[in-house]
């Protein structure tokens, strides 16, 4: 108890609050006073802390008074008031997360709710109070068989029992799990309880007897060891039966004893003594020291016949092995719960810190170390769904996390019912409601880091993608206008753009217009696609007197018509790719260079140089590949280059060259790759544009 209330005993606290709780009941139907008494009894067995027990009595006083904080401070002091206020916050958020709407139930989002509760708990004792309160609620359901037990049991298995397990509060964990199984799967619970034949107390007694016998055996051989036992509770037995698909009579570790010695040599010596002095079920012997489990777990396991002929599992390990099994990557809660968390994650660090706090006898409100501060905030939707945002997350980040379109249309936000600016930094436990227009668009201000509208890279990417899409639409419109003008000049206004696009090798009219808008397609290509007769030849060069034969270039796979046995190469200025309209230029001493027909360098040729142009066409070989150069503008993020190269690998593109250039807008990466056709290239560009972090991808 605090100094201000040191004169008040726990019984006096009870008498003080009893009139406030008279006739009051919880929504489960349990008396408020009876619930408080039950929580106090549970916590007495966990921690001797008068402040904690006082708050267990006061947990429901907040709603009974007009000025509760002033009343609590005046009677019990600031310390208890702060602890009680933190408990009130956690209880309110827990009730929001228990919403029955849609998929927001705790049992369907346990990880998110657990992270939220841990983020809110400034004092570990709040976690103890919530666990004890839930255990008392389950005891109430067990004694009264009131409605709602199954729902509470499912929530407990999803959230509260794993939390007790992770914090190492074993005396609460087993009862939370057993009662929850009793409510959620009564038939399975009853079957195992009947098969056990013994009460838990009897099982504990038989294990204690086995521990004493093993301690005597080891002491007689001068082996120093720590020996402890554990009876497996009903839920743990059911879990193993489900995981390994075993019947109850096939289980050999319903009871277990753990022996911790100093060295590996002592492990094997102890194993030998145990096996020599007891009847052994040899088929159950496992040597995880010589051959550790994939997660690094090490221990010797054997099963002997214990009292009353019942199997008893014996585990033997060193202290280092034990600490690794409990706190390392093979920690008990990780492999038992099937956690997907990576070693070293924030949550694991915070849980380890909370477990240390639980062992402290004083100063339980020691601040969290800086390296354990959470990098996330956990906020709720009005329906009770928990969302995980980066530290500094705003209502705009929240909207984009829910849905991209909601982010685009976000115009305002309410936090805990109050209107706030869109660049407000959210805090864990807040409820956020987005006010959206029926139609709308994001603002470029949202990309300005100094204005603080977005903290999430995902949100900024969505905003950039929206503006990129608008630019593409504008380019398509510009390209369509240019195509219409070209068709008007050619007197072909009745031509269907779908047919023309297909003839030019584009998958859609939009791709056709986009290429035109980017000046990747000229009038000459359109004119040639619309005429059935060959393009009018330039005046013949003396080279035309050579015999006209077909030359298949072994490297570029280009058919060059009119010249035999001359080298050919693709122009690096325009990188032609099938089915681009192409033309050959006879160089002096370097063979024939193949350009796109609309290449600016070809357009700028002098009248004399035009004499050196010849007809060329693409090979019909579908396996031929051609170099193409693309430019990818990206936002710098870890793993992006790997994602890009995976697309190239999936599309079977060989990378010939790569270069990067950092600009004020991001990082520009230029790739030279081998492709089979323009359709092949367009498909790859579309896949690249869909990557997180890619601003644009285009052909150069």
């Amino acid at each position: 108890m605090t100094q201000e209330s040191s004169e008040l005993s726990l019984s006096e606290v009870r008498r003080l609050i009893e009139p406030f709780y008279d006739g009051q009941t919880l929504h489960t139907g349990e008396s408020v006073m009876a619930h408080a008494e039950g929580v106090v009894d549970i916590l007495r067995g966990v921690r001797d802390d008068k402040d904690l027990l006082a708050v267990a009595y006061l947990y429901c006083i907040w709603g009974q008074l007009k000025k509760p904080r002033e009343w609590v401070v005046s009677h019990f002091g600031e310390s208890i008031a702060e602890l009680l206020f933190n408990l009130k916050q956690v209880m309110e958020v827990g009730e929001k997360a228990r919403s029955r709407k849609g998929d927001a139930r705790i049992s369907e989002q346990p990880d998110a709710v657990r992270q939220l509760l841990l983020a809110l708990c400034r004092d570990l004792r709040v976690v103890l109070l919530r666990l004890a309160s839930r255990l008392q609620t389950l005891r109430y359901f067990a004694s009264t068989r009131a409605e709602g037990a199954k729902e509470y049991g499912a929530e407990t298995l999803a959230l509260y029992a794993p939390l007790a397990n992770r914090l190492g509060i074993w005396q609460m964990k087993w009862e939370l799990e057993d009662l929850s199984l009793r409510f959620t799967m009564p038939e399975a619970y009853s079957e195992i309880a009947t098969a056990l034949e013994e009460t838990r107390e009897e099982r504990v007694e038989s294990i204690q007897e086995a521990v004493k016998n093993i301690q005597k055996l080891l002491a007689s051989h001068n082996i120093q060891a720590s020996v402890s036992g554990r009876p497996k509770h009903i839920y743990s037995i059911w879990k193993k039966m489900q995981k390994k698909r075993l019947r109850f009579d096939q289980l050999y570790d319903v009871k277990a004893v753990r022996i911790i010695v100093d060295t590996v040599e002592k492990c094997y010596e102890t194993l030998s003594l145990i096996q020599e002095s007891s009847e052994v079920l040899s088929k159950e012997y496992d040597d995880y020291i010589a051959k550790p489990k994939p997660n690094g777990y090490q221990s010797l396991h054997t099963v002997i016949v214990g009292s009353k002929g019942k199997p008893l599992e014996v585990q033997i390990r060193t202290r280092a092995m034990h600490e690794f099994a409990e706190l390392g990557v093979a920690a008990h809660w990780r492999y038992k719960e099937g956690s997907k968390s990576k070693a070293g994650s924030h949550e694991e660090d915070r849980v380890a810190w909370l477990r240390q706090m639980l062992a402290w006898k004083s100063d339980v409100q020691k601040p969290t170390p800086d390296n354990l501060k959470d990098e996330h905030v956990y906020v709720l939707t009005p329906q009770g769904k928990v969302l995980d945002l980066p530290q500094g997350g705003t209502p705009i980040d929240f909207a984009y996390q829910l849905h991209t379109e909601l982010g685009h249309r976000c115009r305002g936000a309410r936090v805990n019912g109050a209107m706030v600016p869109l660049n407000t930094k959210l805090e864990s436990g807040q409820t956020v409601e987005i006010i959206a227009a029926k139609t709308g668009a994001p603002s470029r201000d949202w990309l300005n880091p100094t204005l603080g509208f977005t903290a999430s890279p995902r949100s900024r990417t969505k905003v950039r993608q929206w503006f990129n899409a608008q630019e593409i639409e504008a380019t398509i419109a510009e390209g369509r206008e240019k195509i219409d003008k070209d068709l008007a000049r050619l007197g072909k206004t009745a031509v269907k753009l779908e047919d023309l696009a297909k003839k030019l090798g584009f998958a859609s009219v939009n791709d056709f217009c986009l290429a035109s808008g980017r000046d990747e397609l000229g009038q000459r290509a359109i004119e040639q696609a619309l005429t059935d007769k060959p393009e009018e030849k330039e005046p013949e060069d003396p080279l035309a007197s050579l015999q006209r034969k077909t030359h298949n270039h072994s490297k570029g796979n280009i058919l060059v018509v009119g010249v035999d046995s001359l080298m050919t190469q693709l122009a690096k200025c325009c990188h032609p790719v099938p089915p681009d309209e192409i033309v050959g230029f006879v160089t002096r001493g370097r063979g024939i260079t193949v350009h796109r027909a609309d290449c600016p360098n070809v357009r700028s040729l002098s009248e004399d140089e035009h004499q050196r142009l010849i007809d060329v066409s693409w090979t019909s070989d579908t396996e031929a590949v051609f170099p193409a150069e693309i430019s990818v503008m990206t936002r710098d993020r870890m793993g992006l280059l790997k994602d890009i190269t995976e697309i190239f690998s999936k599309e079977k593109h060989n990378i010939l060259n790569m270069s990067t250039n950092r600009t004020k807008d991001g990082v520009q990466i230029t790739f030279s790759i081998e492709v089979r056709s323009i359709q092949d290239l367009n498909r790859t560009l579309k896949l690249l544009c869909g990557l997180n972090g890619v601003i644009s991808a285009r052909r150069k």
Side-chain angles (χ1 to χ4, degrees), residues 92-110 112-114 116 155 378-388 398 402 429-433:
E92 288 176 348
V93 169
E95 284 305 309
K96 291 176 184 177
R98 293 188 70 249
S99 168
R100 301 296 167 264
K101 299 177 183 178
D103 62 350
R105 290 175 292 179
I106 286 178
S107 58
E108 296 182 16
Q109 51 169 355
V113 177
R114 181 182 63 250
L116 171 60
E155 287 183 3
Y378 306 94
V379 291
L380 298 99
T381 68
Q383 293 75 35
K385 183 175 182 179
V386 179
L387 294 186
D388 173 1
F398 178 89
L402 282 172
Q430 292 178 328
T431 298
V432 184
E433 180 183 358

Side-chain angles (χ1 to χ4, degrees), residues 30 126 130 209 241 252 254 261 275 288 298 370 389 456-457 507 526 538 579 687:
E30 184 182 10
V126 173
R130 292 305 296 144
E209 180 183 348
M241 289 171 64
Y252 293 102
V254 172
V261 294
Q275 291 182 332
Y288 295 120
Q298 289 184 293
D370 289 340
L389 300 177
S456 167
I526 296 175
E538 296 289 341
L687 290 172

Side-chain angles (χ1 to χ4, degrees), residues 141-157:
F141 282 124
S143 63
T144 62
R145 298 185 179 181
E147 293 183 1
K150 184 175 182 179
E151 178 187 320
Y152 274 82
E155 287 183 3
T156 302
L157 289 177

Side-chain angles (χ1 to χ4, degrees), residues 502-522:
K502 187 175 181 181
K503 197 167 185 178
L504 286 166
F506 293 100
S508 67
V509 173
N510 279 348
D511 289 344
F512 177 29
C513 296
L514 186 61
S516 177
R518 289 173 172 171
D519 291 327
E520 295 176 357
L521 190 72

Side-chain angles (χ1 to χ4, degrees), residues 49 75 97 230 347 360 400 412 545 556 559 601 633 637 652:
D49 184 329
H75 287 80
R230 60 171 180 84
E347 184 185 353
W360 293 344
Y400 276 110
S545 62
L559 292 174
N601 288 338
M633 180 62 73
R637 74 163 173 85
K652 299 180 180 178

Side-chain angles (χ1 to χ4, degrees), residues 70-81:
E70 290 84 346
W71 186 87
V72 173
V73 170
S74 64
H75 287 80
F76 302 98
E78 186 64 39
S79 176
I80 286 183

Side-chain angles (χ1 to χ4, degrees), residues 81-100:
E82 190 62 32
L83 178 58
L84 186 59
F85 179 70
N86 192 196
L87 175 63
K88 170 181 172 291
Q89 285 181 305
V90 173
M91 288 172 64
E92 288 176 348
V93 169
E95 284 305 309
K96 291 176 184 177
R98 293 188 70 249
S99 168
R100 301 296 167 264

